[in-house]
Amino acid sequence: MKVFLTGASGVMGRSSIEALHQAGHDVVGLVRTEEHAAMVAATGAQPWKGDLYDRQTLAAGMAGCDAVANLATKVPVGAAALRPGSLKAIDRIRLNGSRVVADAATRAGVGRLVQQSLSFIYADQADEWIDEHSPVDVTRATEPVVVAEDNVRAFGDRGGVAVSLRFGLITGDDANTAWLFRRAAAGRSIGLGREDTWMHVVHPDDVGTAVVHALCAPEGYYNVGSEPVQRRDYVDTIAQAAGRTGGHFLPPWILRLGGEKLEILTRSQRVSSHLFSERTGWHPRHPQLTSAWFDELVEA
């Protein structure tokens, strides 16, 4: 296939370009700057200069493509997430950008749209397993993610095939994990919430392979990630990779300060990716969180 990719220069985009090329697909990557255009061209993908909110330019870049993967995002890093307005850019991408991408894909006659989503939207289910039928808990922090899924579903209502991938927390060689790694190496706290609750995580490499398999997935919503990990194990694994014997948790007042922004990161989510594997044959190359996930951070 020929695939148009937004967020092409980001962590998810770079992983997806590599996986798509390995699977024999051609990639057109949306970029905004000459620097990012050079980065995308170096991967062997065709850069397309444009703006996520420009329907006409997007539709022109999508012409002749079989599928679009919307991976555009702008996640605040570390403590910056607590600042007022820190989610403004990423919320706009999800609320408005996803609609523009879906409209442009329809205008260009693209047959399939894959949308990056998050498993954070599920309600806290304690130790119970979560699948695609589990309840969603919509707050001001999660509403933009749900709206993005609705915008993609509208693309499906117009005759296309709409697929939303509910990824776990990206964990590996990415900016937020690197921030946690540096804190852990300095003996500072990195854990949020209760130690015995569950997290859904995904290695960056598995994001790309999931996008490849989404090209043949039946329409719908799919959880994508490794085996769930308890929060204590997650914190200790990062800390031990950073040279410490174990990790520490942030005090409850930090969670109160962060409000809904941090609340979604403390929900106990024992998420299953079985449905996506069953329907597409996808399996994570990194099925369980280990210290090897942080090898590139150690080397850096």
Side-chain angles (χ1 to χ4, degrees), residues 75-83 86 175-177 179-180 182-183 262 265:
V75 180
V77 176
L82 298 178
R83 297 172 185 165
S86 63
N176 265 301
T177 305
W179 182 81
L180 293 174
R182 291 192 297 270
R183 283 184 61 88
L262 293 186
L265 298 177

Side-chain angles (χ1 to χ4, degrees), residues 83-257:
R83 297 172 185 165
S86 63
L87 300 182
K88 184 176 180 180
I90 193 170
D91 285 351
R92 183 179 179 227
I93 288 172
R94 289 170 174 158
L95 293 169
N96 302 323
S98 63
R99 184 180 67 251
V100 175
V101 170
D103 291 347
T106 298
R107 183 181 298 185
V110 175
R112 177 177 293 262
L113 176 57
V114 178
Q115 171 68 39
Q116 174 264 344
S117 189
L118 297 171
S119 62
F120 296 160
I121 62 177
Y122 289 115
D124 186 312
Q125 294 293 297
D127 290 332
E128 297 296 318
W129 281 95
I130 290 174
D131 63 20
E132 287 77 2
H133 298 293
S134 297
V136 168
D137 184 1
V138 181
T139 65
R140 283 182 294 178
T142 59
E143 182 182 13
V145 181
V146 176
V147 170
E149 290 190 348
D150 287 343
N151 289 335
V152 175
R153 185 171 58 191
F155 170 85
D157 292 341
R158 296 192 291 267
V161 177
V163 176
S164 288
L165 300 179
R166 292 173 175 172
F167 290 110
L169 177 67
I170 293 179
T171 302
D173 186 18
D174 64 282
N176 265 301
T177 305
W179 182 81
L180 293 174
F181 187 89
R182 291 192 297 270
R183 283 184 61 88
R188 303 178 70 182
S189 300
I190 62 171
L192 294 171
R194 288 175 44 192
E195 298 183 14
D196 61 348
T197 55
W198 294 91
M199 298 179 65
H200 186 218
V201 297
V202 64
H203 191 281
D205 292 349
D206 291 322
V207 170
T209 59
V211 169
V212 171
H213 282 75
L215 299 180
C216 64
E219 182 169 283
Y221 310 99
Y222 299 99
N223 301 328
V224 178
S226 68
E227 289 296 315
V229 59
Q230 287 192 303
R231 217 167 289 276
R232 163 50 67 187
D233 292 334
Y234 170 84
V235 168
D236 283 348
T237 302
I238 294 177
Q240 289 162 9
R244 295 285 174 168
T245 57
H248 306 289
F249 280 71
L250 290 157
W253 68 265
I254 291 289
L255 303 182
R256 293 192 293 272
L257 178 65

